[in-house]
């Protein structure tokens, strides 16, 4: 299982010639190619992309869709809340009530299968994948994460790196802190002490979004255990009650001494603002944060490195879209999926969203700066799945980790936290 969870461009067969635009279809969602007058219908797209960079990225996808379906009205049904905290619950209510939107955002892996495929909410997309030649356009490891019993259930649009440590260049320069190509925990804590002496929190955290502190912890797990042992946490080859996990928890506790005082009141993008304003030096966040820097036109003020000691790993956070059973307009929904699965749409979406295209046959020359760093990172580091963003563990185990982390941020009780994590793993049947 551990191997299956990895997405690594090194093992991909790069290839697939660029695919020609496919004519719009009627009759079935993706059957015989019959030109479709994309008339009166609507297209309702459900996501949690509401922050500045997220909304800007989504808008690029909408524009790409409109280019081929100009008469279709798009209904943006986004529900705010980082990592889908509110959206996923709202969506479950809609799905169980038979009120599916035309397509919704999901991460691949456990989240896709547990929340949507197994309950029978999604259509298999094998025909569309074949029609579009996506079998050679996406990394094999990613295809594995969207495939069940031989059928694909998601069309990936972008790949985020979850273990990025962004920093405010001026704050570091003013305080004589330098950052190289990688950073150790010791280097970070030395910088944190220097900054503390100057009255500046080293870390911007926005844990009003319940994923933010768990994401800091998962990055610390990766940095402490290394990619291989981190992935072992999900198949039982690494024990949740091991000494290494305890070390990661202790490091997490120590880091919490350096967070911004208003962290509990801020969302993840609020914490990004704290960094931009120079009221904190670093933030450990997925690179959707970069979308905020783009939106606010401050990319020149921000630097990045991987979360301490995690440079050998690329924590993948992949977004994709589904085709529901009972989509109000399956034809427009299928055309939406053709759009988000196209290299052209992914190339315009990614720079706004703060991610890289999920396809491997994109034109790399269109990317520079942060994005080139991320593309190269995916090619060279070991890809590992995210806990906080649904791919690595079941929704129940993820929730157990989130709940335990809420308490830990307040009480920093290492043993209680580790016991709760171990219990969550046991309940999930990991290593059983
Ligand atoms: C992730 C998602 C990203 C970004 C982030 C913050 O789960 O994959 O696209 O939106 O949450 O909301």
């Amino acid at each position: 299982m551990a191997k299956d969870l990895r997405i690594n461009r090194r093992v991909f067969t790069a290839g697939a010639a660029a695919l020609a635009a496919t004519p719009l279809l009627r009759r079935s969602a993706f059957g015989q190619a019959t030109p479709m007058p994309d008339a009166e219908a609507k297209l309702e797209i459900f996501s949690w992309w509401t922050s500045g960079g997220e909304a800007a990225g989504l808008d690029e996808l909408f524009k790409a869709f409109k280019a081929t379906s100009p008469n279709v009205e798009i209904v943006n049904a986004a529900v705010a809340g980082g990592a889908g905290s509110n959206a996923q619950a709202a969506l479950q209510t809609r799905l169980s009530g038979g009120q599916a939107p035309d397509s919704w955002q999901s991460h691949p892996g456990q989240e896709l299968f547990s929340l949507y495929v197994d309950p029978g909410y999604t259509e298999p997309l094998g025909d569309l994948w074949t029609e579009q030649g996506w079998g050679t356009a996406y990394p094999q490891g990613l295809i594995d994460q969207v495939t069940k019993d031989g059928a694909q259930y998601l069309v990936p649009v972008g790949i985020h790196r979850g273990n990025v440590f962004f920093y405010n260049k001026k704050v570091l320069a003013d305080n004589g802190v330098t950052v190289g190509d990688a950073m150790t925990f010791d280097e970070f804590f030395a910088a944190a002490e220097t900054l503390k002496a100057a009255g500046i929190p080293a870390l911007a955290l926005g844990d009003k979004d319940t994923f933010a502190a768990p994401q800091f912890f998962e990055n610390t797990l990766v940095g402490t255990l290394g990619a291989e042992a981190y992935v072992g946490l999900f198949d039982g080859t690494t024990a949740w009650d091991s000494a290494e996990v305890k070390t990661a928890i202790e490091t997490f506790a120590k880091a919490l001494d350096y967070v911004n005082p208003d962290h509990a009141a801020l969302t993840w993008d609020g914490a990004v603002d704290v960094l931009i304003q120079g009221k904190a030096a670093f933030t450990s966040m997925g690179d959707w944060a970069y979308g905020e820097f783009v939106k606010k036109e401050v990319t020149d003020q921000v630097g990045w490195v991987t979360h301490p000691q995690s440079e050998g790993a690329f924590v993948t956070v992949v977004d994709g879209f589904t085709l529901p059973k009972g989509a109000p307009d399956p034809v427009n929904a299928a055309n939406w999926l053709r759009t988000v699965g196209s290299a052209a749409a992914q190339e315009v979406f990614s720079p706004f969203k703060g991610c890289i295209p999920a396809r491997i046959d994109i034109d790399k020359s269109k990317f520079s700066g942060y994005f080139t760093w991320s593309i190269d990172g995916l090619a060279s580091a070991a890809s590992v799945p995210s806990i906080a963003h649904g791919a690595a563990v079941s929704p129940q185990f993820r929730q157990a980790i989130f709940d335990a982390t809420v308490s830990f941020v307040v009480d920093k009780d290492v043993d209680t936290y580790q016991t709760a994590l171990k219990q969550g793993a046991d309940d999930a049947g990991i290593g059983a």
Side-chain angles (χ1 to χ4, degrees), residues 113-344:
F113 299 129
S114 299
L115 296 183
Y116 309 123
V117 176
D118 293 346
Y121 291 139
T122 48
E123 291 282 359
L125 294 168
D127 290 351
L128 191 60
W129 271 68
T130 302
E131 173 203 288
Q132 295 289 306
W134 286 331
T136 51
Y138 286 107
Q140 187 57 49
L142 176 52
I143 295 173
D144 293 344
Q145 284 194 49
V146 305
T147 304
K148 188 152 199 184
D149 299 331
Q152 293 80 29
Y153 286 88
L154 193 76
V155 181
V157 63
I159 299 179
H160 290 286
R161 189 168 198 169
N163 55 320
V164 189
F165 218 46
F166 292 103
Y167 55 87
N168 182 310
K169 287 188 199 168
K170 183 168 185 311
V171 170
L172 293 199
D174 288 351
N175 291 281
V177 174
T178 54
V179 174
D181 292 342
M183 188 180 230
T184 64
F185 286 118
D186 285 349
E187 286 168 340
F188 167 68
F189 286 120
E193 275 300 304
T194 302
L195 293 157
K196 189 176 182 178
I200 301 167
L203 284 173
L205 177 69
D207 58 329
K208 186 178 175 190
D209 272 325
T210 49
F211 81 91
Q215 177 155 3
F216 190 96
F217 177 55
E218 87 180 19
N219 288 340
T220 304
L221 278 171
V222 175
T224 307
L225 275 62
E228 189 96 28
Y230 168 78
V231 173
L233 289 168
F234 314 125
D235 66 4
T237 53
T238 301
W240 282 89
D241 55 359
S242 64
E244 294 79 5
V245 170
K246 184 169 188 178
T247 300
I249 296 172
E250 287 166 348
T251 303
F252 179 31
K254 192 171 168 188
L256 287 170
D257 288 341
Y258 299 98
V259 297
N260 47 308
D262 54 351
H263 64 90
L266 298 180
T267 56
W268 71 267
D269 47 327
V272 168
D273 281 340
V274 166
L275 181 97
I276 293 172
Q277 291 157 14
K279 293 181 185 159
F282 296 91
T283 196
S284 184
M285 190 41 61
D287 52 14
W288 43 91
Y290 199 81
E292 300 307 302
F293 302 137
V294 170
K295 178 75 182 172
K296 299 200 161 115
E297 301 182 357
V298 294
T299 52
D300 57 328
Q301 298 168 30
V302 174
W304 60 87
V305 65
T306 40
H307 185 95
Q309 294 178 199
S310 72
E311 63 273 12
F314 189 112
V315 179
T316 54
V317 182
V318 179
D319 293 303
F321 284 88
T322 59
L323 181 69
K325 281 207 168 81
D329 192 329
V331 174
N332 287 333
N335 284 332
W336 165 254
L337 296 178
R338 290 186 179 92
T339 297
V340 302
S342 70

Side-chain angles (χ1 to χ4, degrees), residues 48-49 54 81-83 105 107 160 211 268 288 317 319 353 389:
W48 58 87
W49 287 343
E54 290 174 338
Q105 175 192 0
H107 300 119
H160 290 286
F211 81 91
W268 71 267
W288 43 91
V317 182
D319 293 303
K353 180 64 172 63
H389 301 278

